[in-house]
Amino acid sequence: MTTITITYRIETAGSIEAMAAKIASDQSTGTFVAVPGETEELKARVAARVIAIRPLSDAAHPSWPELRAGDGQIKRADVDIAFPLDAVGTDLSALMTIAVGGVFSIRGMSGIRVVDMKLPQAFKGVYPGPQFGMAGSRRLTGVVGRPMIGTIVKPALGLRPDETAELVGELIGSGVDFIKDDEKLMSPAYSPLKERIAAIMPRLLDHEQKTGKKVMYAFGISAIDPDEMMRNHDLVLQAGGNCAVININSIGMGAMAFLRKRSGLVLHAHRNGWDVLTRHPGIGFDFKVWQQFWRLLGVDQFQINGIGVKYWEPDESFVESFDAVTTPLFDPSDCALPVAGSGQWGGQAPETYRRTGRTTDLLYLCGGGIVSHPGGPAAGVRAVTQAWEAAVADIPLDIYAKDHPELAASLEKFGSGKGE
Amino acid sequence: MTTITITYRIETAGSIEAMAAKIASDQSTGTFVAVPGETEELKARVAARVIAIRPLSDAAHPSWPELRAGDGQIKRADVDIAFPLDAVGTDLSALMTIAVGGVFSIRGMSGIRVVDMKLPQAFKGVYPGPQFGMAGSRRLTGVVGRPMIGTIVKPALGLRPDETAELVGELIGSGVDFIKDDEKLMSPAYSPLKERIAAIMPRLLDHEQKTGKKVMYAFGISAIDPDEMMRNHDLVLQAGGNCAVININSIGMGAMAFLRKRSGLVLHAHRNGWDVLTRHPGIGFDFKVWQQFWRLLGVDQFQINGIGVKYWEPDESFVESFDAVTTPLFDPSDCALPVAGSGQWGGQAPETYRRTGRTTDLLYLCGGGIVSHPGGPAAGVRAVTQAWEAAVADIPLDIYAKDHPELAASLEKFGSGKGE
């Protein structure tokens, strides 16, 4: 029987076996009392089944603080549950409802985290996946043999379109490959997307005509109404743009499916809000699971933090995320381009390179690390490029900086924790 | 200045004041280093500001286990931060991104929970809100003076359309006002929605013609592709149906906006997956905040668990949720009909009535509590109706049961914790 297999990390003061069986029952045929019609034949067709239990060390403290003193030892285990494909189908909202979302309500656990999901081949080809991904991003930016280097217009909020365009003009001149709106900037009254596009795009196109280099600019097109988001999308496309920032968690999976079906733009995903689903290690989702949904739906470029970020996320988690988005689900074309960002300035290049399989297939995104370089943005871009050259050549940054003054200036300003 | 005010419950081993200031800065103008352009004039226009800090007792244990031994006392406070409306606008995906979703990534906290959100009048009329709500649900079911009583087709998964229709026929005859697909049932291969509608709707229409009573049936129309969801919606509407179950978390906010704009059906929201956002009291969202988004987007009927449910949620949380969905945001018409469900059988009627302001304006949903009644579903519906009569009359159930045999049978089967 073809199945979807989900691995849950569960913790309970009760029986792990009983809890695993309860999840399988609750999330398929069961309810709180036996009902007529839940026959053995029906169960055989659609019931989820526990196929493996791998005990883990006890928890020192319950993840959800629902247990009372004296509730005893908190047992943990990884539990594999197989859902018949026939019971779920290939619809991602059904999969989310049945096998993922529903489990967090179950009583008697003090934590549950969805740590793996194995989809059968039946899902292959059902969803469009990324339209551009790594290859398309390289083709559109013309960057080969090194990471694409990107920056973010800052301050995040408050600039009017002409002020933004002024900054963008400076950034274009810096040699950067990619520029984006901060994810918080969409279409507020002081900077309507239409006006921002009108102010920015001529500069990008002018630069392309003069130099042959087209800087990829990701406009914040997210809107709660998918029709409006599509109008935003069309404005960018009609003006000659090729990329958009999508706040995937804020718009949700359905709106992403809607957009991807109609999209001509590279879809750059910002996952703001995701942290609440993953930050507690005993609760929620591993990114490895969650990103599968979004890649199937069509994310081209996936922001996944980076080494030494300004946020809570530990480096190890970034490394796992990088591995996740670059591991094919069914085909190499379904991978997303990893986007390393947050507090980046080049100093993290050697460790990023070393820990992600010595690849330069990424978009390396620096906000303040480029625009606040003492020599200005162009020097900032050169510094980041130099840091990556050093990383690939296995030359320590401080050595490479001796005859690369822009990198030296970055080390001076952002190094040794000064970037924080 | 018109503002959106969000209250965050934060915990940190550092300074509460510094953390509050950091949230306000990170979620509006700031980045990790000072950047040119973050002028005082710009900050005055768009920067978020901390307007109140109300200290709480220390936490005994960090919500996110990121703190190390020796990190010291864990301070907590409720912090009000005001976001200028000009900086955010009224788009709900912008609001979610800027003021809610983004905050969970911030380092240096061991927990943050969004516990209140006050939207200014500028949001009034921007979103459609519920199309039917309580009044529309009463009008369509013809129920006055008592709660609408509903049930769920069980087993949750696995029945083929003709088997479902057979059960539904029995349930229609029971006198119930409302029937729904289990939220896990959408359109799997063994029960395509189109065939399920074709099997069920004639029975509902036939019953209406014979008795004048139209039972509201909520079909599971959720689909990851909003276009497909709309086709599902249209199938229900064209067949004479008037209600649909929407797995709001699985489809996401954008798809809900898309559906509501085009909908002719009562939208019955199931919030599966929500628990992960709220179950840890130090992390995530209060329902009070989260439900505002969905009500503005157009939820008519909101499942909010109930008293003595089979899930983790405590009764107090249900009572607060009931209060939340029935408190106007801008106008009484923007309230959703509260749907009490999960493990209900009538025994919870007195406490539900007493703790929710002695109202009968709700949909009271019993799955096994009706279909597993020893006398069959019709006796189950009578038992639930009797329980509500007793609740409203302030007569203890065991007294009322003396001359109401169906209620007596329910008490015997489900009472004293036997329903678990």
Side-chain angles (χ1 to χ4, degrees):
Chain A
M1 182 189 283
T2 304
T3 59
I4 297 162
T5 305
I6 312 278
T7 304
Y8 306 93
R9 183 158 297 165
I10 61 178
E11 59 177 66
T12 178
S15 154
I16 288 279
E17 290 72 20
M19 186 52 59
K22 181 171 167 55
I23 296 170
S25 168
D26 278 14
Q27 297 317 113
S28 56
T29 58
T31 184
F32 84 117
V33 285
V35 292
E38 193 183 352
T39 62
E40 286 310 311
E41 185 268 335
L42 176 138
K43 282 193 193 178
R45 277 193 293 123
V46 298
R49 296 188 187 281
V50 179
I51 56 173
I53 295 179
R54 293 178 295 283
L56 299 168
S57 60
D58 286 356
H61 191 87
S63 294
W64 283 316
E66 293 164 22
L67 291 178
R68 286 155 301 199
D71 281 345
Q73 184 195 13
I74 304 169
K75 297 178 277 294
R76 294 193 315 136
D78 280 350
V79 173
D80 296 337
I81 295 183
F83 294 80
L85 179 64
D86 287 348
V88 181
T90 56
D91 187 274
L92 293 179
S93 67
L95 176 62
M96 182 60 87
T97 298
I98 296 171
V100 181
V103 303
F104 300 109
S105 64
I106 298 172
R107 188 158 69 181
M109 307 181 291
S110 61
I112 184 166
R113 185 173 175 92
V114 185
V115 295
D116 204 2
M117 176 171 79
K118 291 195 172 61
L119 299 177
Q121 287 291 318
F123 280 79
K124 184 176 177 172
V126 174
Y127 291 94
Q131 184 173 189
F132 296 94
M134 198 271 289
S137 298
R138 284 217 180 275
R139 178 169 51 77
L140 289 169
T141 56
V143 175
V144 289
R146 61 169 177 81
M148 287 158 270
I149 295 172
T151 190
I152 307 153
V153 179
K154 299 282 180 184
L157 296 183
L159 297 175
R160 299 198 171 88
D162 57 330
E163 296 167 327
T164 301
E166 200 60 40
L167 271 180
V168 169
E170 212 182 321
L171 294 170
I172 294 171
S174 74
V176 80
D177 307 309
F178 174 98
I179 308 172
K180 70 183 276 290
D181 286 338
D182 186 275
E183 77 280 359
K184 290 185 282 295
L185 182 60
M186 293 157 60
S187 195
Y190 68 85
S191 180
L193 178 64
K194 190 173 185 177
E195 293 180 24
R196 204 158 71 246
I197 293 170
I200 290 171
M201 278 310 301
R203 290 176 185 259
L204 294 168
L205 297 173
D206 186 55
H207 182 73
E208 184 184 7
Q209 207 161 35
K210 284 186 182 139
T211 67
K213 180 175 177 70
K214 182 161 189 173
V215 177
M216 182 177 279
Y217 193 100
F219 288 95
I221 69 164
S222 301
I224 198 67
D225 177 347
D227 298 317
E228 187 181 334
M229 185 162 65
M230 276 314 299
R231 286 194 293 272
N232 291 345
H233 163 279
D234 295 347
L235 288 173
V236 174
L237 197 64
Q238 284 155 13
N242 57 18
C243 191
V245 183
I246 311 296
N247 294 317
I248 57 177
N249 259 316
S250 299
I251 64 163
M253 292 206 298
M256 183 69 191
F258 181 85
L259 173 62
R260 171 64 182 86
K261 247 171 109 170
R262 296 156 171 84
S263 175
L265 300 176
V266 175
L267 303 178
H268 178 104
H270 195 289
R271 62 185 183 180
N272 54 82
W274 163 76
D275 308 83
V276 74
L277 302 173
T278 206
R279 187 163 172 175
H280 195 302
I283 305 169
F285 297 67
D286 271 4
F287 181 73
K288 180 184 179 179
V289 173
W290 186 82
Q291 55 98 31
Q292 293 186 42
F293 289 88
W294 296 101
R295 280 169 54 195
L296 290 172
L297 290 170
V299 164
D300 290 298
Q301 304 181 340
F302 221 136
Q303 279 211 31
I304 52 171
N305 281 337
I307 296 289
V309 297
K310 60 180 173 172
Y311 300 121
W312 71 277
E313 194 179 8
D315 295 347
E316 185 57 30
S317 175
F318 157 70
V319 172
E320 289 168 7
S321 298
F322 195 105
D323 189 51
V325 301
T326 56
T327 299
L329 297 172
F330 302 107
D331 185 274
S333 70
D334 63 33
C335 293
L337 175 72
V339 182
S342 172
Q344 305 295 302
W345 54 274
Q348 303 94 332
E351 191 172 348
T352 304
Y353 184 66
R354 186 173 56 77
R355 296 183 68 177
T356 58
R358 301 184 71 80
T359 181
T360 57
D361 282 339
L362 74 154
L363 170 54
Y364 188 71
L365 206 52
C366 311
I370 282 180
V371 303
S372 299
H373 189 282
V381 172
R382 281 195 295 276
V384 172
T385 310
Q386 292 160 4
W388 275 95
E389 290 164 4
V392 171
D394 274 330
I395 301 169
L397 293 187
D398 55 344
I399 306 294
Y400 203 69
K402 285 189 176 151
D403 48 6
H404 294 87
E406 293 88 355
L407 178 57
S410 275
L411 282 169
E412 171 63 23
K413 175 151 188 183
F414 305 120
S416 319
K418 290 175 195 161
E420 297 308 317
Chain B
M1 182 189 281
T2 305
T3 59
I4 297 161
T5 304
I6 313 278
T7 303
Y8 307 93
R9 184 158 295 166
I10 62 178
E11 57 178 67
T12 179
S15 153
I16 289 278
E17 289 71 20
M19 185 52 59
K22 181 171 167 54
I23 296 170
S25 169
D26 278 14
Q27 296 317 112
S28 56
T29 59
T31 183
F32 82 116
V33 285
V35 292
E38 194 182 351
T39 61
E40 287 309 312
E41 186 268 336
L42 177 139
K43 283 193 194 177
R45 276 193 293 124
V46 298
R49 299 189 184 279
V50 179
I51 55 172
I53 295 179
R54 293 178 295 281
L56 299 168
S57 59
D58 287 355
H61 191 86
S63 294
W64 283 317
E66 293 164 23
L67 291 178
R68 287 155 300 200
D71 281 346
Q73 183 196 13
I74 304 169
K75 296 179 279 293
R76 295 193 313 137
D78 280 351
V79 173
D80 296 338
I81 295 182
F83 294 80
L85 179 64
D86 287 348
V88 180
T90 56
D91 187 274
L92 293 179
S93 68
L95 175 63
M96 182 59 88
T97 297
I98 296 172
V100 182
V103 303
F104 300 109
S105 65
I106 297 173
R107 188 159 67 181
M109 306 180 290
S110 62
I112 183 166
R113 185 172 176 92
V114 185
V115 296
D116 204 1
M117 177 170 78
K118 292 196 171 61
L119 299 177
Q121 288 290 319
F123 280 78
K124 183 175 177 175
V126 173
Y127 291 94
Q131 185 173 187
F132 297 93
M134 197 271 289
S137 299
R138 285 217 180 272
R139 179 170 49 79
L140 289 168
T141 56
V143 176
V144 288
R146 60 168 178 83
M148 287 158 270
I149 295 173
T151 189
I152 307 154
V153 180
K154 300 281 180 182
L157 296 182
L159 296 175
R160 297 197 172 87
D162 58 329
E163 296 166 327
T164 301
E166 201 59 42
L167 271 180
V168 170
E170 211 180 321
L171 293 171
I172 293 171
S174 74
V176 79
D177 308 308
F178 174 98
I179 308 173
K180 69 182 278 289
D181 287 338
D182 187 275
E183 78 281 359
K184 291 186 281 296
L185 182 60
M186 293 155 61
S187 194
Y190 68 85
S191 181
L193 178 64
K194 189 174 183 174
E195 292 179 24
R196 203 159 72 247
I197 293 169
I200 291 171
M201 278 308 303
R203 291 178 185 259
L204 294 169
L205 297 174
D206 185 55
H207 183 74
E208 184 184 5
Q209 207 159 36
K210 284 184 183 140
T211 67
K213 180 175 176 68
K214 183 162 189 173
V215 177
M216 181 177 280
Y217 193 99
F219 287 96
I221 68 164
S222 300
I224 198 67
D225 177 346
D227 298 317
E228 187 180 334
M229 185 162 65
M230 276 314 300
R231 285 193 294 273
N232 291 344
H233 163 280
D234 294 347
L235 288 172
V236 175
L237 197 64
Q238 283 154 15
N242 57 17
C243 190
V245 183
I246 311 296
N247 294 315
I248 57 175
N249 259 316
S250 298
I251 64 163
M253 291 205 298
M256 183 68 191
F258 181 86
L259 173 62
R260 171 63 181 86
K261 248 170 108 169
R262 295 157 172 83
S263 175
L265 301 175
V266 175
L267 303 177
H268 178 105
H270 195 288
R271 62 185 183 180
N272 55 83
W274 163 78
D275 308 83
V276 73
L277 302 174
T278 207
R279 186 162 172 176
H280 195 303
I283 303 170
F285 297 66
D286 271 3
F287 180 73
K288 180 184 179 181
V289 173
W290 186 81
Q291 54 98 32
Q292 292 187 41
F293 289 88
W294 296 101
R295 279 168 56 196
L296 290 172
L297 289 170
V299 164
D300 289 298
Q301 303 182 340
F302 221 136
Q303 278 210 31
I304 52 170
N305 282 335
I307 296 290
V309 296
K310 59 180 174 172
Y311 301 122
W312 71 277
E313 193 178 8
D315 295 347
E316 184 57 29
S317 175
F318 156 70
V319 172
E320 289 168 7
S321 298
F322 195 105
D323 188 50
V325 302
T326 55
T327 300
L329 297 172
F330 302 108
D331 186 275
S333 69
D334 63 33
C335 293
L337 175 71
V339 182
S342 171
Q344 303 297 301
W345 55 274
Q348 303 95 332
E351 191 173 345
T352 304
Y353 183 66
R354 187 174 53 78
R355 295 183 68 176
T356 58
R358 302 183 69 82
T359 180
T360 56
D361 282 338
L362 75 156
L363 170 54
Y364 189 71
L365 206 53
C366 310
I370 283 180
V371 302
S372 299
H373 190 281
V381 171
R382 280 196 295 277
V384 173
T385 309
Q386 291 159 4
W388 275 96
E389 289 165 4
V392 172
D394 274 329
I395 301 169
L397 293 186
D398 56 344
I399 306 294
Y400 204 70
K402 285 186 176 157
D403 49 5
H404 293 88
E406 294 88 355
L407 178 57
S410 275
L411 282 169
E412 172 64 25
K413 177 154 187 180
F414 305 120
S416 318
K418 289 174 196 162
E420 300 305 318

